[in-house]
Amino acid sequence: LNTLPSEPCDFLIVGQGLAGTLLSYFLLKEKQNVMVVDKPMPGACSLIAAGTINPVTGRRIAKSWRHEELFPFARQTYRELEAMLGASLWQDRIIYRALHNTFEENEWERRSAYPEYAEYLAEIDSTHPFESLINPPHAWGKLHRCAQVDIPLLVQRWRQELISHNRYLEAQFDYEQLSFNETRAKYRDIIADRVVFCEGAAATMNPYFSHLPFKPTKGELLLVRIPDAGFSQLIKHKLFIIPIRHHPLDPSIPADDLYWVGSSSRWEYQNPYPSGEQRKLLLNQLREVLQAPFEVVDHLAGIRPTVEDVRPLLGIHPEHQRLAVFNGLGTKGTSLGPYFAQQMAWVLMGLKQIEPDVDIGRFA
Ligand SMILES: Cc1cc2nc3c(=O)[nH]c(=O)nc-3n(C[C@H](O)[C@H](O)[C@H](O)COP(=O)(O)OP(=O)(O)OC[C@H]3O[C@@H](n4cnc5c(N)ncnc54)[C@H](O)[C@@H]3O)c2cc1C
């Protein structure tokens, strides 16, 4: 990484969750001069995300949008970042998905007969791979070509990298202090060609982009210790039970027998903090599934930057050319992030047009 020269920068990025991390990475890779301003705020979701990539979702077991392109590109990007940061981020995974009845079992069989699903949907497993630890569902479907990416670690390690090269300013961005003309933008004493907003769900407060149809969803999860369970793959049975290697908010705390359990999803909420009601709900679900003893270690919450049409948001402001946005990673930032961050970097450099599906112009 180059250290920030004391001259105007090309891009000032606001927000360093997954979106700001990946965008700054691709811009720096292209030798652009980047500065990032961020303040970890309640509701920021990258620091608590499970980082799973799931090729199929929903009761109908439908393939995720553009999975074939997004998955290999995501793997390549996270592998590059692993090498650069000396951190282990990517793990190939299998998801054991509970099939609750014959409808779901038939749907699984039907889908797996299609050639485009064959590599993802493996055989139905009617044995009980988790023995007495988990209440057996009707059957287990095994999903291949899934992944788990340590997004909290990535964001924290990238922040250290930015700090050590004088490219990070820890501050809450104050819109009142932003000014711009035809050619430049200025924020405090930072001059930039463009300001790119990557604020996640906090973008609903951004006076320049709040017209975009964000439909944020609050998610809550429990960190649970299940002694000696030894689950090494991802389990989806009412909720996800995911092995993790450290406490998401503090990678220096190693996690023995620790699992990420969740998550809830709600459109309506009062605040970004963990709630007693959701804790109870998650605990009830976990008790229905898990037969082994467990202990709740923590309870976390975040707000996903979901959009009405569940597609990312890339664009330059229609009236203020110095302002741009990269957001809308919603529930699937881990897979969408790398591909669209690179696209956004190329758009900002004038090397590429935005794909219509993700262009904010679709809401004009
Ligand atoms: C419980 C939960 C589980 C999830 N699990 C998965 C999963 O398994 N797989 C998956 O792909 N996705 C998952 N997600 C979704 C994923 O977290 C998001 O897609 C992604 O992290 C969004 O990143 P972001 O950078 O857009 O937003 P954020 O992570 O919210 O980052 C925004 C950043 O901008 C900062 N910021 C905002 N406004 C300002 C301001 N004015 N000044 C300074 N800084 C500011 C915030 O503090 C934050 O650091 C999950 C989300 C939740 C809540």
Side-chain angles (χ1 to χ4, degrees):
L1 214 65
N2 298 327
T3 299
L4 182 72
S6 54
E7 58 191 48
C9 60
D10 297 314
F11 301 104
L12 173 63
I13 294 178
V14 181
Q16 193 243 325
L18 181 61
T21 294
L22 292 168
L23 181 61
S24 54
Y25 167 66
F26 281 112
L27 286 168
L28 286 162
K29 199 174 161 189
E30 297 283 358
K31 309 269 180 278
Q32 301 299 294
N33 188 4
V34 174
M35 182 75 193
V36 176
V37 52
D38 175 86
K39 176 149 176 121
M41 302 216 291
C45 62
S46 302
L47 289 179
I48 63 160
T52 56
I53 303 185
N54 188 343
V56 301
T57 47
R59 282 196 71 217
R60 295 251 160 219
I61 315 179
K63 191 111 76 66
S64 300
W65 182 64
R66 295 176 66 172
H67 183 77
E68 285 86 354
E69 299 160 87
L70 299 181
F71 188 85
F73 191 77
R75 176 158 46 197
Q76 180 191 323
T77 304
Y78 293 118
R79 289 287 191 215
E80 282 170 18
L81 280 158
E82 281 183 334
M84 183 175 180
L85 299 173
S88 165
L89 302 173
W90 177 280
Q91 294 174 89
D92 287 311
R93 291 295 205 194
I94 288 172
I95 297 180
Y96 282 85
R97 179 173 154 158
L99 303 174
H100 296 291
N101 46 47
T102 22
F103 169 82
E104 290 186 7
E105 185 177 358
N106 291 343
E107 200 62 11
W108 185 280
E109 299 282 16
R110 191 177 70 79
R111 288 280 189 195
S112 50
Y114 294 127
E116 69 269 29
Y117 280 81
E119 63 177 309
Y120 305 114
L121 305 190
E123 70 283 8
I124 287 190
D125 189 342
S126 317
T127 66
H128 301 303
F130 306 107
E131 294 173 356
S132 56
L133 294 172
I134 293 212
N135 270 325
H138 175 75
W140 289 102
K142 255 167 94 177
L143 258 176
H144 286 280
R145 289 177 63 77
C146 309
Q148 181 183 356
V149 183
D150 197 335
I151 301 296
L153 182 64
L154 167 62
V155 168
Q156 290 168 73
R157 292 295 287 271
W158 186 249
R159 183 165 304 160
Q160 291 310 317
E161 193 72 11
L162 293 169
I163 290 170
S164 66
H165 292 86
N166 285 337
R167 294 186 177 277
Y168 183 86
L169 171 68
E170 179 165 342
Q172 180 159 354
F173 188 87
D174 174 6
Y175 306 99
E176 299 283 315
Q177 294 195 49
L178 171 68
S179 59
F180 47 86
N181 60 21
E182 298 278 290
T183 54
R184 287 282 162 95
K186 183 167 187 280
Y187 180 68
R188 297 200 194 160
D189 54 354
I190 304 170
I191 295 178
D193 275 0
R194 277 218 170 94
V195 179
V196 191
F197 292 101
C198 302
E199 305 148 294
T204 49
M205 322 277 265
N206 181 320
Y208 302 101
F209 290 103
S210 57
H211 66 282
L212 295 171
F214 283 101
K215 233 183 145 192
T217 48
K218 181 172 176 181
E220 299 191 34
L221 66 111
L222 301 175
L223 295 183
V224 172
R225 179 157 289 124
I226 314 173
D228 302 323
F231 301 139
S232 58
Q233 299 297 343
L234 316 186
I235 299 169
K236 181 159 194 309
H237 185 354
K238 295 193 193 294
L239 29 62
F240 264 109
I241 302 177
I242 297 177
I244 50 176
R245 295 186 291 202
H246 56 84
H247 190 295
L249 302 181
D250 187 351
S252 68
I253 305 177
D256 292 330
D257 299 320
L258 198 63
Y259 297 87
W260 186 109
V261 172
S263 58
S264 60
S265 184
R266 281 187 306 155
W267 306 112
E268 286 171 12
Y269 51 88
Q270 308 291 328
N271 60 53
Y273 304 109
S275 69
E277 178 208 342
Q278 292 301 304
R279 182 188 174 100
K280 214 162 125 188
L281 206 95
L282 290 167
L283 274 173
N284 285 344
Q285 286 177 329
L286 186 61
R287 284 192 192 110
E288 281 176 44
V289 170
L290 195 64
Q291 290 178 312
F294 66 88
E295 170 204 354
V296 176
V297 171
D298 213 338
H299 175 192
L300 305 169
I303 314 292
R304 305 174 183 92
T306 16
V307 180
E308 214 169 77
D309 67 357
V310 286
R311 295 284 175 265
L313 294 168
L314 279 68
I316 314 264
H317 194 284
E319 285 158 33
H320 309 305
Q321 292 290 298
R322 298 299 109 210
L323 309 184
V325 65
F326 175 51
N327 205 320
L329 296 183
T331 59
K332 294 194 173 153
T334 314
S335 53
L336 297 169
Y339 181 93
F340 288 104
Q342 184 184 63
Q343 180 168 138
M344 188 68 199
W346 285 345
V347 166
L348 290 167
M349 294 169 65
L351 302 174
K352 196 172 166 44
Q353 301 273 317
I354 306 175
E355 292 175 26
D357 278 357
V358 297
D359 191 337
I360 57 168
R362 69 193 189 274
F363 300 114

